[in-house]
Amino acid sequence: MNLSSSTSEAFDASPTNHPEHNGPSSPLLEDFPFIEEDVLMTRSQALNLYTTHFLSTWNVRSYEFAAIIFTAAAYPDTLVAASIRGIMRAVASICFSSAVGRWVDQNPNRLKTLLSTITVNRSSVIAASAMWFFVVGSNTGNNQNQATGPGSTVNEGLLNGSLFALILLLGILENLSASGNMLSMERDWVVAASSPDGRPYDLTYLNSAMRRIDLICKLIAPIVISVIVSATNVRTGVLVVGGTSAATWVVELWSARRTQISDGLSPLETLHRTPWNQAFQGFRSYTLDIKNYFSSVAWIPSLSLAFLHISALTYSATFITYLLAVGFSLDLITIARAAGSIIEISSTLVTPFGVEILSKARSHGRFRGQDLAERGSEDSNRGLIGEAAEESKTETGLERLGLWGISFQLLNLVPVVFALWHLSPSPVSAAPSSLSNFVSRFLAMPPQRLVAFMLFFFLSISRLGLWIYDLTTQQLTQTMVAPSHRSSFTGVEYSFVAFFELGQYIITVVLHKPDQFKWVASFSWIAVLLSTVAYAGWVWRMRGHLVHWERFGKGCMGTKGEVGGKV
């Protein structure tokens, strides 16, 4: 939470200011070891932070969607290219996300770290766009090339294959640099720059604002790319994507410099090692990151969030392909997806309000597994006072709201699964199962309209619960993980996200027929159920309870007393 007054001001790492060297005069050292000096964030710094994040997110979301269109245009008759691209990105994230997080943690200069991720990302997108321009263009002129003879077609195929292989490698760099940018910005800069809880631009507010920017870009960027490609052609879309990355590059670097936050932790000593030693040290660091991940108090919320990515009950490419296969129009799917994105954006407005309301819990139960009654009986110097008390309330609100969010998602996905069981056609050679007949009778009137309403309405509003849970879990990991391991922790989380996404691809490859998607939907709901149970168990361990049963008891006693008085 330290903000330097100018970019030239050095980071004060003296023992008296470092959290680990605070003396007995600092209460709650054991519970809040990472509280730093209170410095309020200014409006100018917030605007520059938002500008940097918007430009980064816009370019990432634009290329993320555009690359799908470019791949489909270059290889229109097969899904192999798209599958290879998705698998390579997932495997690269599994292998290197924790290393990227570790690099962000260990780099002593926050600004240089962010500028490096921006530079690598923009360079990768611009270079890939140059190659896409030739790959998608050669497919357009395929008929003319066939007239020149089979030899030229073979040579052109080899050239396009080589360019596509380079595009895949650049895509890995783009994906990892985007992850590094996200880690540096959302898990480091935001935490370091935020004001204390309850003040303007505190961590809950900044997290919601940053996620709102991300979701708005996720909604608008694909629409803009689609309109441009539809109105012109794919090559023009390539030029727009590459040109936008180049045009916003300088502005993004300038905004990052203007944010003016202090440097990171003290630099680590760099040793010259042989390639073999570096590989061994990399593997050792990878296993150490995983060990630190599971030793953190926040690993269960993080892993539960990552496990949700194995679910296919989202507006992903797999789910959209299934909807098209069973007869839904692309226009209807686009409208439903946009509605879901708007509801996702609303989660950034609901979360700060919900945290504020649910943080007003009475001082009973537990805080981080320790009984509050026992804490109250201890010496006053070790009680919850001042900013520490405010942080404990915020943490309580986050834990409770996260449980509401993931439970809300779970309940709203039940009608979605019923609708998908009704939609999934039975094989021609097989008679409908008794369960399918039951679902069909349950959804008897009028089938298509009712099923479509149930499917899109409940799937869209389930996104509210998902993103509320995502936001609360993000802030819990930001505050519960030591600053020196914060980005590496999130890097391991990204690895698990990629691993479970890869699991979703494998499941849909095995159950690839439209009539089998109902089983994919059922498995997806069970995955959400397991995540909900795991997170609920963690909240119970942290808080000591899930429901205030004593309030129900008091309410019943009060009602009984009123009735007795009247009688």
Side-chain angles (χ1 to χ4, degrees), residues 498-520:
F499 176 78
F500 291 127
E501 286 180 343
L502 185 61
Q504 181 192 141
Y505 295 147
I506 294 174
I507 292 171
T508 53
V509 166
V510 175
L511 303 174
H512 61 279
K513 297 180 181 179
D515 61 278
Q516 296 174 325
F517 195 83
K518 56 190 175 185
W519 298 108
V520 177

Side-chain angles (χ1 to χ4, degrees), residues 80-92 168 498 501-502 505:
V80 173
S83 299
I84 292 175
R85 179 176 174 272
I87 291 174
M88 286 189 64
R89 286 167 61 91
V91 171
L168 292 178
E501 286 180 343
L502 185 61
Y505 295 147

